Amino acid sequence: MDSNKKVIVLTVNGRRQTVPVTPSTTILQVLETVCTKHKFESDEFGLKHHNKALDVSQMIRFSGLPNNCTLEMFPLETKRTSQNVDLCIQLESGERFQDTVPPSTILVDCLKKLCPNQFGAMKNPVVVYMRTEFYGNDLSSKCLKDIGINQGRSLIRLVDKNPEELKTQANVYVPLKPSEKPKEEEAKAAPKSKHGGAGGFSITKDLIEKIKPSQKEDNEPRDQSPNRDPQPSTSKGVSSQ
């Protein structure tokens, strides 16, 4: 996705605010950015696109919003309240740790609370949520709300891998090259004919038995009848008068 992607937000007071976004930016982060600049309470407003309200916990990557699209702020009937999240952390081994935490909890605090021993033993801890990797400074600067976890139940994966390896290993398949057999092995593996022929015409017993009777017929003497003299013609000549 283009790193220069941005959205335009039409505020309730008729002003337009341009907000640069990334694929991992949530709709709530866009709303909070606009409300901070124009001194609004983000919990009292929402965003909609073409008169359709957007889920504030959704990322730009999965929202389907085009570049330079216009979003419109609208007041909510009831103020948005934050609820505790039932968070589950899954390790590479399949082991899971679950607990209830507020959405404002920093990622590194969640890891220390749910799986402190496993997290402390990792050299390169990486949190994966919705096909997005968070590592390094992201773990200490982003909270659950920043990555789109506001309420309900959510599962994140914790792996100990190099971030560059995560980006290159997914959906990559390298077909194996067929093994080339030496010519000697191919010659040994080649099928041989039953009668020792080298790929030519092989003489079988049936063919020999068919040939023998025809040879006997050719060798048998033929009846030679004596030459007979031609019989004189009995036709009488017509006398001329």
Side-chain angles (χ1 to χ4, degrees):
M1 186 177 292
D2 189 2
S3 59
N4 296 325
K5 187 172 183 178
K6 56 187 178 181
V7 295
I8 301 171
V9 179
L10 180 62
T11 62
V12 291
N13 56 5
R15 295 185 179 181
R16 293 177 179 268
Q17 179 66 49
T18 302
V19 181
V21 296
T22 62
S24 59
T25 303
T26 61
I27 303 297
L28 181 59
Q29 288 178 315
V30 175
L31 178 61
E32 289 178 344
T33 301
V34 176
C35 291
T36 301
K37 291 185 177 181
H38 295 272
K39 298 181 180 180
F40 292 116
E41 290 291 336
S42 60
D43 296 336
E44 298 178 357
F45 296 92
L47 290 176
K48 59 183 178 180
H49 182 244
H50 293 316
N51 294 327
K52 181 180 179 181
L54 300 177
D55 184 4
V56 293
S57 64
Q58 196 172 33
M59 294 184 182
I60 296 293
R61 184 197 305 271
F62 306 107
S63 63
L65 296 175
N67 192 17
N68 292 327
C69 65
T70 301
L71 306 180
E72 184 180 354
M73 284 181 60
F74 67 95
L76 298 176
E77 296 180 359
T78 57
K79 187 176 180 179
R80 186 185 302 107
T81 58
S82 60
Q83 301 176 358
N84 289 338
V85 178
D86 293 333
L87 182 65
C88 179
I89 298 178
Q90 180 178 347
L91 304 180
E92 291 181 282
S93 61
E95 190 177 3
R96 294 186 177 186
F97 302 90
Q98 187 173 353
D99 200 352
T100 302
V101 293
S104 59
T105 308
I106 303 298
L107 292 178
V108 66
D109 294 336
C110 295
L111 301 177
K112 291 180 179 179
K113 181 180 180 181
L114 273 69
C115 51
N117 297 331
Q118 292 77 3
F119 172 66
M122 292 183 177
K123 296 181 180 180
N124 298 308
V126 179
V127 172
V128 183
Y129 177 70
M130 297 293 288
R131 295 192 298 178
T132 304
E133 297 87 19
F134 302 95
Y135 52 89
N137 295 331
D138 293 339
L139 299 180
S140 58
S141 61
K142 291 184 178 294
C143 62
L144 296 177
K145 185 173 62 175
D146 294 335
I147 66 175
I149 301 177
N150 297 322
Q151 58 184 358
R153 297 180 179 180
S154 297
L155 183 143
I156 61 176
R157 293 193 299 119
L158 178 63
V159 296
D160 186 12
K161 289 185 179 180
N162 193 355
E164 282 73 16
E165 183 181 353
L166 279 173
K167 295 179 181 179
T168 56
Q169 73 174 0
N171 300 327
V172 175
Y173 172 71
V174 179
L176 297 176
K177 295 182 179 180
S179 58
E180 297 181 357
K181 295 183 179 180
K183 294 183 179 180
E184 296 180 357
E185 295 183 2
E186 292 181 357
K188 292 180 181 179
K192 297 182 179 180
S193 60
K194 294 182 179 180
H195 302 282
F201 183 79
S202 59
I203 300 176
T204 61
K205 292 182 179 180
D206 296 338
L207 184 60
I208 294 175
E209 291 178 358
K210 290 180 180 180
I211 294 174
K212 285 182 179 180
S214 61
Q215 290 180 349
K216 290 180 180 180
E217 293 177 359
D218 294 340
N219 295 331
E220 289 180 357
R222 296 180 180 179
D223 295 337
Q224 296 180 357
S225 57
N227 295 331
R228 296 180 181 179
D229 296 336
Q231 296 179 358
S233 65
T234 56
S235 60
K236 296 181 179 180
V238 179
S239 60
S240 59
Q241 292 179 358

